[in-house]
Amino acid sequence: MNNILSVALRQQAIYVPSGASTENMTPATAMLVAGLAKLGYTVSEPLLHALQHTTPDYHDQILQQLRKVMGVGLNWAPLVKNWSEPTGETTADHIITYFTNLLGLTGGTRLACGHLIPPHTFPLERYNGCPFCGMPLETADTVYLGQASKLRVLELWTDDDATRFLENLLTSKTALDATQQESLRELLAELPLPAVKISMKETLMMMVDVLIEQNQAATAQHLFNTPTDILRYLWYKHTGFLQLVSPKTVARRQQRNQQHLAYPKTTEVKTSVKASIKLKYGRKQALMVAQWMNALPADAAKICADMHPQREMWVRFIRALRLPEYSKRAGFDHLQTIMDKFYRVDYEVWQGRVNQFRLRCDAASTFYLLQQRPGMFARSLFANMLWFGPEAAISAFAQVADKVPARLLFTLQMYASYYFDHRAIRFVKPLGGTIKQLPPNKLLALYDQEELEQMQQAVANLCLTATKKRFAAIPTDAHTMYIDPALFRIPLAIGDRSEQIQDLSATLMGTRFPVQGDKVRLFMQWGKGMPAQHLDMDLSCHISYEDSIDFCSFSKLQTTGCVHSGDIRYIPAQTGTAEYIELDLPVLAAAGARYVTFTCNAYTAGSLVPEMVVGWMNSAHKMKISEKTGVAYDPSCVQHQVRITRGLNKGLAFGVLDVAAATIIWLEMPFEGQVVQGLRANNVQGILRKLDQKLSIGQLLEIKAAAQELQITDNPEADEAYTAQWAMDTAAVTKLFID
């Protein structure tokens, strides 16, 4: 039940089971509502009535779950007490303290960490720990409550809602992000598997994993149609990646993460990274995979051609699984044929033929092959328009546009103007990598501006026509449609999937949050459930001006409009520790700041530690900072937070403050670098421009209304009503993607 409650909270709801007690618990319900208000929540009227028929034990369970998500009870004490006031520490204080301890001098205060702080250096009464080494010596298990100027409304979630949400996740037309994957796992642990058709390969792999855990490997076998499906599952079980991230990419990222500014790369690092991705399987697992391969329905040549793009990975898996050995057993004739053809490369690769005809400028043969795989045609449409000319490419693609998945059509429509611009620098994120800059396609120089604009319009018209045609083919009895204005600010869930978990509210990248007051307070909490150790994570911000940049981090605790709570480099046992940065919007605006990017980095060798929580708070009312402990966290003021789960990111940008607009754009942009200076401002601005190009939910609904001849009205009681609450289930929104 806790799993369903956790999923409901991500949808701004509380789950009330159908078997709840029918006794009237009004006094207990009032206490629950008061407890929720302290955490920044209130309840809708239907939820209030439902809660009146639940037990006090369930009320406690709800509060405990919400407190767990919000981190109440953890250590939120920073290094400095009342850190909004400067401590007056200088670089000279660190240098004096360093030589005092190096030379073994006497005089001063010996702290529990072992360092001697000389007199007239750091004001020790202002610190919760050692100002020299960053080890916290005091913790605080209390936080502020109820300072928020606005309460978030929680809705009622029933068994039907939970089942419907599970079905939406399984049938989602786009790949699930990390939050949705976590929700899917939690719901499958509590609810029976519904009989629905799974749309995405990544989701299918999670279902295979569930079936194998239930000892139904034979049933899972029927879900594999290609060898790539099998490879995807094996790689997911080994690394946790549902996408086929190259082993070389994983190893390279891990090696870079282990590098430290003060230490050179060592042979031990390479050895440990290599060992971490080494494949090792027992006989039972090897036999299971051999049976899957032997049962694939396609002929051996086609199977080998499908294996070819990941040939290097397949060679490693074939050896680890001992497939040649199993192919010699009776009943494994198909596997033996596959192994024979694969090692002799006795097969023809589809992409090789496409490349061959393309290099010969044979448009007819190239388009004939691409039309056999409409998805691949869509992904290469822009490049082929420049290579063969827009008329031939558009004409050939139009013949198969009806077979292209809707998400690809929307992607083409969104990024046509972005691609056909000879001045635009494209920003992409390769699988498992960080943001990269790509120069404009060199073939753009062969066309003038008018021709490029015609290409943009041709793509937009083609995609719009295909989308309207699909919507028009769906019968409806509705006459009116209501579109919540908030939906025009929420982008479609296409690409840019989040790799971190959002436990408070599932939000798409590019969503804008208005700032309620003059201050924004960033926070980072890490080390929960871990033993005391050296673990240096850093909270920083990058400030972009018109012609300069600035930053606020452990090396620069104060700058214009920003103040840092101090650099903590050690974590206490189990409860973790915290850092804060407070941003003053009026001061930043007066100084001419345009954007402030929120970042976190792993200064310690390695990647960002799992279970780290980063986010920001804001309130129209002043948010307090404890003079005694320095605690500045109030769960009721938290506007958004994410929980780090993946282990390949060294640095992460998790939000951008648009100073002039007083809005915060939620994004997730990994970057390499031990400190905030590794972040490139033009990469951030490029990602923002790319997000601005994305089609919003409201715009797609307008296309639907036009195709089905529905009148858009301001009345929420329209025949078809699309609200912000409906859009919170992003998997349900993908039902608009008509394939």
Side-chain angles (χ1 to χ4, degrees), residues 106 121 130 155 167 244 249 331 334 370 395 403 505 661 665 697:
T106 58
T121 53
C130 177
E155 302 292 340
E167 292 176 354
L244 290 174
T249 301
H334 191 40
L370 288 172
S395 176
K403 301 177 183 178
S505 60
I665 303 122
I697 297 175

Side-chain angles (χ1 to χ4, degrees), residues 94-158:
H94 287 269
I95 295 174
I96 293 171
T97 305
Y98 172 75
F99 281 106
T100 297
N101 286 271
L102 179 66
L103 300 175
L105 303 180
T106 58
T109 305
R110 180 75 63 178
L111 300 181
C113 62
H115 288 120
L116 180 68
I117 307 300
H120 311 299
T121 53
F122 298 101
L124 291 179
E125 69 279 1
R126 292 290 311 281
Y127 292 90
N128 289 316
C130 177
F132 180 67
C133 71
M135 176 181 287
L137 303 174
E138 298 179 22
T139 59
D141 58 0
T142 58
V143 297
Y144 288 107
L145 297 171
Q147 297 180 103
S149 55
K150 186 177 180 180
L151 299 179
R152 289 166 286 192
V153 180
L154 293 171
E155 302 292 340
L156 172 64
W157 237 48
T158 63

Side-chain angles (χ1 to χ4, degrees), residues 356-373:
Q356 181 183 27
F357 289 128
R358 192 169 184 271
L359 290 174
R360 293 177 179 176
C361 293
D362 186 344
S365 299
T366 302
F367 292 146
Y368 173 76
L369 289 174
L370 288 172
Q371 286 172 340
Q372 297 174 8
R373 299 187 181 184

Side-chain angles (χ1 to χ4, degrees), residues 207 212 377 413 528 559:
M207 294 309 307
I212 292 176
F377 200 167
Q413 182 179 353
K528 177 183 70 173
T559 189

Side-chain angles (χ1 to χ4, degrees), residues 92 708 738:
Q708 297 181 330
I738 309 301

Side-chain angles (χ1 to χ4, degrees), residues 433-678:
T434 55
I435 299 298
K436 307 293 183 185
Q437 294 186 28
L438 290 181
N441 192 317
K442 293 181 180 180
L443 295 179
L444 290 172
L446 300 176
Y447 300 87
D448 58 33
Q449 185 61 33
E450 183 178 353
E451 289 174 322
L452 293 176
E453 291 176 356
Q454 290 175 354
M455 291 184 193
Q456 297 173 20
Q457 193 60 46
V459 172
N461 291 340
L462 176 64
C463 296
L464 185 61
T465 300
T467 303
K468 285 185 175 180
K469 183 179 178 181
R470 297 182 185 191
F471 279 130
I474 300 176
T476 179
D477 297 328
H479 299 285
T480 58
M481 176 188 290
Y482 168 74
I483 305 175
D484 192 319
L487 300 184
F488 290 93
R489 300 189 297 272
I490 303 177
L492 288 176
I494 301 176
D496 301 315
R497 74 183 77 170
S498 172
E499 296 180 351
Q500 317 307 332
I501 295 177
Q502 305 170 62
D503 287 315
L504 288 187
S505 60
T507 306
L508 294 174
M509 279 199 280
T511 301
R512 296 175 178 265
F513 295 86
V515 177
Q516 301 170 16
D518 292 337
K519 302 287 180 67
V520 172
R521 186 173 296 169
L522 313 184
F523 64 87
M524 178 176 72
Q525 216 284 351
W526 78 100
K528 177 183 70 173
M530 301 179 70
Q533 60 182 294
H534 177 270
L535 192 64
D536 190 0
M537 303 289 124
D538 292 319
L539 179 67
S540 311
C541 68
H542 184 284
I543 309 162
S544 299
Y545 293 91
E546 188 67 36
D547 53 2
S548 63
I549 60 173
D550 195 5
F551 58 89
C552 181
S553 67
F554 70 92
S555 61
K556 193 175 184 180
L557 298 180
Q558 281 191 306
T559 189
T560 303
C562 304
V563 58
H564 195 288
S565 65
D567 181 30
I568 294 180
R569 283 161 273 176
Y570 291 80
I571 59 170
Q574 303 303 317
T575 61
T577 191
E579 289 184 7
Y580 307 91
I581 295 178
E582 184 148 285
L583 311 175
D584 192 318
L585 268 68
V587 174
L588 288 166
R594 297 180 60 194
Y595 296 105
V596 181
T597 306
F598 315 153
T599 71
C600 57
N601 296 77
Y603 191 82
T604 303
S607 56
L608 292 172
V609 62
E611 297 304 308
M612 173 196 289
V613 175
V614 292
W616 65 83
M617 299 177 280
N618 76 71
S619 172
H621 308 315
K622 183 178 180 180
M623 295 179 288
K624 297 179 181 179
I625 299 176
S626 172
E627 294 186 5
K628 183 178 180 180
T629 63
V631 169
Y633 180 71
D634 186 336
S636 69
C637 296
V638 174
Q639 192 169 39
H640 194 61
Q641 72 175 36
V642 294
R643 176 160 50 93
I644 307 298
T645 57
R646 292 293 176 90
L648 288 182
N649 295 331
K650 187 71 173 177
L652 180 72
F654 59 91
V656 177
L657 169 64
D658 185 333
V659 178
T663 58
I664 299 173
I665 303 122
W666 149 240
L667 60 78
E668 181 182 306
M669 193 187 87
F671 65 96
E672 293 182 354
Q674 197 172 338
V675 292
V676 66
Q677 288 87 334

Side-chain angles (χ1 to χ4, degrees), residues 308-322:
H308 186 81
Q310 291 86 28
R311 185 177 179 87
E312 290 185 5
M313 292 182 68
W314 268 115
V315 169
R316 296 177 72 240
F317 275 101
I318 287 172
R319 291 172 179 171
L321 291 164
R322 299 177 288 278

Side-chain angles (χ1 to χ4, degrees), residues 214-227:
Q214 298 173 353
N215 295 319
Q216 299 183 47
T219 304
Q221 173 181 309
H222 300 294
L223 299 179
F224 295 117
N225 295 315
T226 68

